[in-house]
Amino acid sequence: MGGSSKKAEAKRQHASRANKEALLHPNSQCGAQQLLIPQKRWYRQRAHANPFSDHDLVYPASPAHMDWSVHYPAYFPCASGSEADQQPSASSSTAHATGAVSSTTGKKVEFADIGCGFGGLLMDLAPVFPDKLMLGMEIRVSVTHYVHDKIVALRLAHRQQQQSQASGEQRTERSEAVVKMEEDGEEGNGQPISGKESRAGEGSRKAQKRGRNSTAGGAGGDAAADGLDGGAAEDDDEEQVAADAERDAALFSQAGRAAGGYQNVSVLRANAMKFLPNFFERGQLSKLFFLFPDPHFKQRKHKARIISPTLLAEYAYIIRPGGIVYTITDVHDLHLWMVKHLTAFPLFERLADDGPELKDDPCVRLVTYSTEEGKKVERNKGSKYFAAFVRKPDPDFGRE
């Protein structure tokens, strides 16, 4: 008994130290003019975490007690501090509770990625739905820190590239004004010569292009260099490291063009199997994602599967009628398990893969190809099994 108590205390101390270390966010230390892109090798973590263990988690007593200002400072009024100085896993319950709905913008979290992993889906979803707030929920400490740091870095990259582009446009306008003044002086009638006007316009376009390229190189180039650094751990798959570097290079080089500037995406550490209703009100979510969850192959471990009869009532509670639950896995047995239980639940109905609801839904493509797990399955030429379910309307009990 004493041994298990010491082990539990050691786990709590380890999680507490990890949370404190995460507060020393790299981008908050290097200043607003620099950008440090997080690398996975800095965040060592086991592949799985036991959801039935007592983790050092902070969660609100109810959705009304949740402080979303730390996660979405552009949409919820902040009490104090900056986003880079805060850690999502430590901000779930504070004295400054904003409630589920923003008092200034009327926004609330509508998308939730349960077990978001390294956040591949969130990074691709954010620009596609810039007016929707989305949240990743992950139980592993270091993985949560990685996703949080990457979101902060993307917000900073977006701001820097926007500022660089704006300054480039100002320089272009000044150069055009100088050219026009010279032309006015030469002609004496205030009318520019068509040839010179054409050359001035061409110079303007080149200046804008140089501004964009220098901005992209400042973020994307560093991402590629960092991602391909030879200091990666020996157990890292070289192909995975190269793929991550290429993905980060493209992501950060285009951050300035991303609609919403990644202000609509965040992550927090939570155990979704225990505390999901503490974060979301009834019918708050419109989309719920379960992507490549832990299969728990052993029969005695099936109770730990994220889709199970005991949890479907909670999912039906937090997702609104008409909302969609997306599932995908590369394990056929797990796919059959999820389809079986979601179909049997009275408030969910499976959507046809080629039906009108999913035909033009951009989430289907992103769910299939955006996650790190999905890309790994692609490289290994494996199979993916997708299914989506719509939340049916609540039954009218006692009504004729």
Side-chain angles (χ1 to χ4, degrees):
M1 191 69 178
S4 61
S5 176
K6 290 181 179 179
K7 186 176 181 180
E9 179 62 25
K11 286 184 177 180
R12 283 192 290 270
Q13 291 179 0
H14 173 76
S16 178
R17 285 195 302 270
N19 282 333
K20 291 179 181 178
E21 291 173 359
L23 294 177
L24 300 176
H25 187 273
N27 286 322
S28 67
Q29 302 300 313
C30 63
Q33 300 303 319
Q34 300 182 23
L35 177 63
L36 189 60
I37 299 175
Q39 304 296 311
K40 288 181 183 177
R41 62 179 181 271
W42 303 343
Y43 305 81
R44 288 302 176 188
Q45 178 71 53
R46 291 184 177 181
H48 305 288
N50 185 358
F52 299 121
S53 297
D54 292 328
H55 297 276
D56 184 20
L57 298 173
V58 181
Y59 56 91
S62 71
H65 294 84
M66 181 63 189
D67 178 17
W68 291 113
S69 64
V70 179
H71 297 271
Y72 308 100
Y75 296 95
F76 288 82
C78 297
S80 62
S82 63
E83 62 184 88
D85 297 329
Q86 303 292 337
Q87 173 60 25
S89 61
S91 64
S92 299
S93 178
T94 67
H96 178 66
T98 61
V101 183
S102 171
S103 60
T104 56
T105 63
K107 294 287 187 180
K108 59 183 177 181
V109 177
E110 296 188 46
F111 296 0
D113 185 5
I114 307 301
C116 66
F118 291 100
L121 175 69
L122 296 172
M123 308 305 170
D124 288 347
L125 269 180
V128 177
F129 297 93
D131 59 335
K132 302 291 185 182
L133 301 188
M134 53 195 69
L135 180 73
M137 306 186 80
E138 175 60 49
I139 195 172
R140 293 169 292 175
V141 178
S142 296
V143 177
T144 307
H145 294 164
Y146 168 80
V147 179
H148 168 262
D149 292 355
K150 192 169 184 178
I151 292 172
V152 173
L154 282 169
R155 291 177 180 177
L156 180 59
H158 174 83
R159 184 163 60 248
Q160 288 181 349
Q161 293 178 23
Q162 287 285 315
Q163 293 173 351
S164 177
Q165 184 176 358
S167 61
E169 291 175 352
Q170 291 177 357
R171 289 194 298 269
T172 300
E173 291 176 357
R174 286 196 296 268
S175 64
E176 288 179 342
V178 171
V179 171
K180 189 175 186 304
M181 290 175 61
E182 293 176 351
E183 292 172 351
D184 290 345
E186 292 176 1
E187 296 299 316
N189 56 5
Q191 298 296 327
I193 300 176
S194 59
K196 292 184 179 181
E197 182 182 24
S198 175
R199 288 193 296 273
E202 183 179 356
S204 169
R205 289 189 293 272
K206 289 182 179 179
Q208 290 179 338
K209 185 175 181 181
R210 284 196 300 271
R212 288 195 296 268
N213 289 343
S214 63
T215 303
D222 292 342
D226 288 342
L228 294 173
D229 188 0
E234 294 179 358
D235 59 343
D236 273 344
D237 179 22
E238 293 182 0
E239 188 176 2
Q240 176 70 46
V241 173
D244 291 342
E246 183 178 359
R247 176 185 174 89
D248 283 347
L251 185 65
F252 279 88
S253 65
Q254 301 295 325
R257 302 178 184 178
Y262 298 97
Q263 295 290 338
N264 61 325
V265 60
S266 189
V267 66
L268 59 79
R269 182 171 180 247
N271 187 345
M273 296 182 68
K274 291 184 178 181
F275 306 116
L276 210 54
N278 293 73
F279 293 97
F280 305 116
E281 295 179 329
R282 178 181 180 181
Q284 178 174 339
L285 302 181
S286 61
K287 294 185 185 296
L288 196 57
F289 301 92
F290 299 95
L291 312 184
F292 299 96
D294 191 338
H296 293 289
F297 291 106
K298 296 180 181 179
Q299 187 171 359
R300 63 185 179 87
K301 292 287 189 178
H302 285 181
K303 62 182 179 181
R305 287 180 170 176
I306 194 66
I307 298 293
S308 64
T310 56
L311 294 173
L312 290 178
E314 291 190 4
Y315 303 150
Y317 175 82
I318 63 174
I319 193 168
R320 69 189 63 161
I324 299 179
V325 175
Y326 300 84
T327 68
I328 191 170
T329 179
D330 59 332
V331 180
H332 188 249
D333 176 68
L334 179 60
H335 169 70
L336 296 178
W337 167 281
M338 293 191 293
V339 169
K340 171 186 174 181
H341 289 289
L342 280 164
T343 303
F345 196 80
L347 290 179
F348 289 113
E349 179 181 357
R350 186 174 183 181
L351 297 172
D353 294 347
D354 56 351
E357 298 88 350
L358 300 178
K359 183 178 180 181
D360 298 323
D361 187 352
C363 293
V364 176
R365 177 182 57 83
L366 296 177
V367 162
T368 307
Y369 299 105
S370 291
T371 65
E372 283 74 5
E373 294 84 355
K375 293 180 181 298
K376 185 176 181 180
V377 173
E378 285 286 325
R379 290 195 301 271
N380 296 333
K381 302 186 184 303
S383 300
K384 301 176 187 177
Y385 306 98
F386 170 83
F389 300 82
V390 64
R391 168 65 156 83
K392 297 165 65 175
D394 294 329
D396 295 330
F397 293 109
R399 296 182 182 179
E400 296 295 336

